Amino acid sequence: MIETLFSTPLYYTKVDGFHNIQKEIEKGLDKLEFKYKKHWGETHLLAPQNFNENVLDICELNTLSNEIDKHVYRYFEEIGRTGYTSEYKIVSWFTKCGKGNYAHTHTHGAADISGVYYYKTNNKDGNIFFETPNPHLSTSEYFTHLGTAWDHIPVEGKLLIFPGWLQHGVRTNCTDNTRISLSFNITFQKGV
């Protein structure tokens, strides 16, 4: 018998209301100004750049906001977390990755969970990848295959939810397509 210990729950789904979400985003993008984050170099464009705002509210993305809430609830059902409440703070932002853009390996700090929604992609313009939270897997030739990065292909309408502490990044976009995604961080209120 095998028991898989210390698993990392990554949730993905295709959202309901895809066409409404896409229309809301198309309208909302006109309200934003995309810029590079100065100390990161020209890795990828962000709107807004400060990670303190909620672009879901700024752009009035009500359908997507409701979908995120629904799937956060399902995420916690799947991992067996009882007593889930929807009382949380969410910050969100858009990312544009043109040719040559990428996102370095990073975590989302103190966020309880993080996620991404793919608005525009050709499925070849930069996979998101996740690194193992167990760096010791690579010390053994028998377990090193369990410690490689895990890629997820971007697909329009796909929503990913994962722990904020999970190391991840985005592979370099080698196509002429500009990928646009919405990322978010959720922090639960104390006692949740």
Side-chain angles (χ1 to χ4, degrees):
M1 175 183 281
I2 294 287
E3 248 182 317
T4 303
L5 301 176
F6 314 120
S7 63
T8 303
L10 185 136
Y11 175 96
Y12 65 95
T13 190
K14 186 89 169 182
V15 297
D16 295 327
F18 171 72
H19 296 292
N20 290 336
I21 291 169
Q22 297 296 94
K23 287 177 187 174
E24 285 181 354
I25 292 174
E26 186 178 350
K27 287 180 191 174
L29 286 176
D30 291 339
K31 299 177 181 181
L32 302 173
E33 182 182 358
F34 284 84
K35 294 181 182 178
Y36 289 109
K37 194 131 176 99
K38 288 183 183 177
H39 64 278
W40 291 354
E42 294 187 0
T43 57
H44 56 280
L45 294 160
L46 298 167
Q49 293 81 35
N50 61 15
F51 306 115
N52 292 331
E53 298 179 63
N54 185 1
V55 77
L56 292 163
D57 289 340
I58 294 167
C59 295
E60 300 176 31
L61 305 177
N62 299 322
T63 308
L64 180 55
S65 185
N66 290 336
E67 278 295 297
I68 290 171
D69 190 57
K70 176 175 79 176
H71 290 289
V72 165
Y73 181 82
R74 287 184 182 165
Y75 176 77
F76 280 104
E77 279 184 331
E78 291 288 329
I79 65 171
R81 172 69 196 250
T82 57
Y84 165 78
T85 178
S86 60
E87 294 180 31
Y88 56 77
K89 178 184 177 193
I90 185 168
V91 295
S92 60
W93 60 95
F94 277 104
T95 302
K96 277 188 183 181
C97 283
K99 189 170 190 170
N101 288 161
Y102 64 95
H104 60 280
T105 305
H106 63 284
T107 68
H108 286 210
D112 292 308
I113 60 174
S114 296
V116 61
Y117 171 80
Y118 293 101
Y119 165 65
K120 182 183 173 208
T121 178
N122 67 5
N123 312 108
K124 299 174 186 172
D125 44 19
N127 291 354
I128 188 171
F129 65 89
F130 298 93
E131 294 187 349
T132 179
N134 182 350
H136 305 291
L137 290 171
S138 63
T139 63
S140 166
E141 70 175 276
Y142 296 102
F143 294 101
T144 192
H145 70 284
L146 298 174
T148 58
W150 189 264
D151 282 40
H152 257 268
I153 296 170
V155 176
E156 289 181 4
K158 184 180 193 178
L159 176 69
L160 289 168
I161 299 173
F162 51 91
W165 47 259
L166 184 59
Q167 291 244 12
H168 62 285
V170 178
R171 307 268 183 220
T172 301
N173 180 356
C174 296
T175 74
D176 291 326
N177 189 60
T178 298
R179 183 176 50 74
I180 302 174
S181 58
L182 180 141
S183 298
F184 58 90
N185 285 338
I186 290 177
T187 307
F188 289 92
Q189 304 303 311
K190 291 188 180 205
V192 175

